[in-house]
Amino acid sequence: MKIIHRYILKEMKMPIIFGISLFTFIFLIDIMVQMMENIIVKGVSLLDVVRILSFYLPPILSQTIPMGFFLGVMITYSKLTSTSESTAMNSMGMSLNSIIKPTFMLALGITAFVFFLQESIIPNSFIKLQQLTLKIAYEKPAFQLKENMYIDEVDDYSIYIDKVGGDGSAENIIIFKKEKDNPFPTVLTAKKALWKDAAMILEDAEFYNLDPTGKEKLRGEFSKQRIPINSFFQNVKMKVSEIETMSVRQLLKEIKIKEEKEKLPYIVEMNKKLAIPLSAIMLGVLGVLFSIGHHRSGKGVSYGISLGVIFLYIASLNVGVVMANRDKISPFIGVWTPNFVLLGLTMWMYFVKKRRG
């Protein structure tokens, strides 16, 4: 590798790290806000929150690495242009291909790394995230609870929760217990409920039992009662879906065994997992072509152009994915069109720069 190429790669290191960190932070904001609520209100430990965020990182990084790479390339080559280093390289006889070469080689390495993330790291990370979230759900059931929340189909119960206390308790509870031979459920009300060992412990509660005609048959009260509700902890919602964390190999297996009408989301996700890593190649080369020249615009223009391109790419990709999942267009067209647009723009910019010398 030439000294000048090593110099360019060295100059790109910190801007790329900055770019990836910036986009990753933006993607993490929503999750971080939710985690702060869990720390302050629901009593989840800071260590568990950090571990949850670490397991969310790989799926997010698979999307933000190409974006951050593009921003880092833009910043680096804009700096080289503003300091006239790119002009000096051209004066020394460096061709456009030679200037692009270190970025192109790095883009290939980044593409391979993102594929590695998707195939090896993300599936394992999702399994650990499920295990940790389930553990927290058993230890801190309030982690899942919200005020004015109605929970249906929890074993034989349906539960309404009016308020969630700061100590992990629930207040003003109404529970409907389904009866096999009775169309009317038994109704339980409680002023407070505590959660322990996969069960809800009711305090200061009353119950009302109706006969099949709807008339009151029995009523009573008790100071404390334990109600096991194991199934409540078996479907903990997370910010990523299981399909999003599957590797391409896992998706292919699911496509083979699923019925025709169930295959579509797996096919869309498989195309997405192939398209996003490959976008790093076009974005890297395009970043060079946008930045080199005789202007002295600096970082401000680099930020604007890169954010604009990334926004358009994400928006068009999301629209394509939604339309493909609704079977409005084919998954290939919906997912790959943004990449083809990037490729076309890259080739056009390349020939323009080549013609101008």
Side-chain angles (χ1 to χ4, degrees):
M1 183 182 292
K2 294 181 180 179
I3 295 176
I4 189 65
H5 290 163
R6 288 202 296 269
Y7 171 73
I8 293 173
L9 289 174
K10 181 181 177 182
E11 289 293 303
M12 280 196 289
K13 182 173 67 175
M14 292 309 298
I16 289 173
I17 292 174
F18 166 75
I20 294 172
S21 301
L22 175 65
F23 285 111
T24 302
F25 175 75
I26 292 172
F27 275 61
L28 276 174
I29 286 176
D30 182 44
I31 299 173
M32 291 172 67
V33 170
Q34 184 185 27
M35 291 299 100
M36 289 304 297
E37 178 188 353
N38 292 328
I39 293 173
I40 297 170
V41 178
K42 300 181 180 179
V44 180
S45 71
L46 180 61
L47 178 61
D48 282 336
V49 169
V50 172
R51 291 175 66 193
I52 288 174
L53 289 175
S54 70
F55 295 142
Y56 272 122
L57 269 179
I60 292 174
L61 282 173
S62 67
Q63 301 179 61
T64 58
I65 286 176
M67 302 175 194
F69 175 56
F70 176 58
L71 177 58
V73 169
M74 288 282 295
I75 292 173
T76 301
Y77 280 85
S78 291
K79 178 185 175 185
L80 295 178
T81 297
S82 64
T83 57
S84 298
E85 289 176 270
S86 62
T87 305
M89 293 176 191
N90 193 36
S91 301
M92 292 166 51
M94 282 187 71
S95 65
L96 180 61
N97 290 346
S98 183
I99 294 174
I100 292 174
K101 184 178 178 180
T103 300
F104 180 76
M105 298 304 294
L106 183 58
L108 292 177
I110 285 175
T111 300
F113 176 71
V114 175
F115 276 127
F116 171 73
L117 267 181
Q118 292 181 163
E119 294 301 297
S120 300
I121 305 299
I122 292 176
N124 293 330
S125 178
F126 182 67
I127 292 172
K128 291 180 180 179
L129 178 60
Q130 284 181 313
Q131 293 171 345
L132 177 59
T133 311
L134 191 63
K135 168 183 168 289
I136 295 172
Y138 271 97
E139 294 176 352
K140 302 279 186 181
F143 175 66
Q144 302 179 76
L145 302 180
K146 297 179 181 179
E147 292 189 353
N148 301 319
M149 183 180 188
Y150 182 76
I151 309 166
D152 197 13
E153 301 298 333
V154 181
D155 294 329
D156 294 328
Y157 302 92
S158 295
I159 305 170
Y160 173 77
I161 296 171
D162 183 35
K163 295 181 180 180
V164 178
D167 59 352
S169 64
E171 299 177 5
N172 303 330
I173 316 296
I174 302 175
I175 301 174
F176 303 94
K177 186 179 185 300
K178 303 172 184 66
E179 305 289 347
K180 291 182 179 179
D181 302 323
N182 193 338
F184 297 98
T186 297
V187 180
L188 298 94
T189 63
K191 292 182 179 179
K192 188 174 183 179
L194 300 173
W195 307 81
K196 186 177 180 181
D197 300 327
M200 182 166 60
I201 301 172
L202 303 178
E203 296 183 355
D204 298 326
E206 297 179 354
F207 71 90
Y208 305 88
N209 187 262
L210 307 178
D211 63 23
T213 64
K215 294 181 179 180
E216 183 179 311
K217 183 174 67 174
L218 182 67
R219 76 161 59 189
E221 58 184 42
F222 45 84
S223 59
K224 185 175 289 188
Q225 180 172 337
R226 183 178 185 274
I227 300 178
I229 48 173
N230 292 321
S231 65
F232 178 59
F233 304 96
Q234 295 172 2
N235 188 26
V236 181
K237 293 183 180 180
M238 288 174 285
K239 289 286 184 181
V240 291
S241 69
E242 189 172 357
I243 294 179
E244 290 177 314
T245 60
M246 289 183 177
S247 66
V248 173
R249 287 173 294 179
Q250 291 172 328
L251 289 168
L252 285 171
K253 289 180 181 178
E254 291 294 325
I255 290 170
K256 289 179 181 178
I257 63 175
K258 294 289 183 183
E259 296 182 7
E260 195 64 33
K261 60 182 180 180
E262 297 176 334
K263 290 181 179 181
L264 186 58
Y266 296 90
I267 296 173
V268 172
E269 187 63 30
M270 185 182 67
N271 279 277
K272 186 178 172 184
K273 286 188 178 297
L274 295 173
I276 290 179
L278 291 173
S279 69
I281 299 174
M282 281 81 76
L283 288 171
V285 176
L286 192 60
V288 178
L289 297 172
F290 270 139
S291 304
I292 59 173
H294 299 287
H295 59 82
R296 295 175 178 272
S297 54
K299 294 181 180 179
V301 172
S302 299
Y303 291 146
I305 294 175
S306 58
L307 292 175
V309 171
I310 291 300
F311 173 78
L312 290 174
Y313 178 78
I314 293 175
S316 57
L317 179 62
N318 286 337
V319 169
V321 167
V322 170
M323 293 182 68
N325 276 320
R326 294 181 179 178
D327 205 14
K328 300 293 184 182
I329 57 177
S330 74
F332 182 83
I333 293 175
V335 176
W336 285 93
T337 295
N339 277 35
F340 290 140
V341 172
L342 280 180
L343 179 60
L345 182 59
T346 302
M347 293 176 66
W348 178 75
M349 286 289 296
Y350 175 81
F351 288 119
V352 168
K353 293 288 184 179
K354 192 82 171 175
R355 188 169 59 250
R356 292 177 180 175

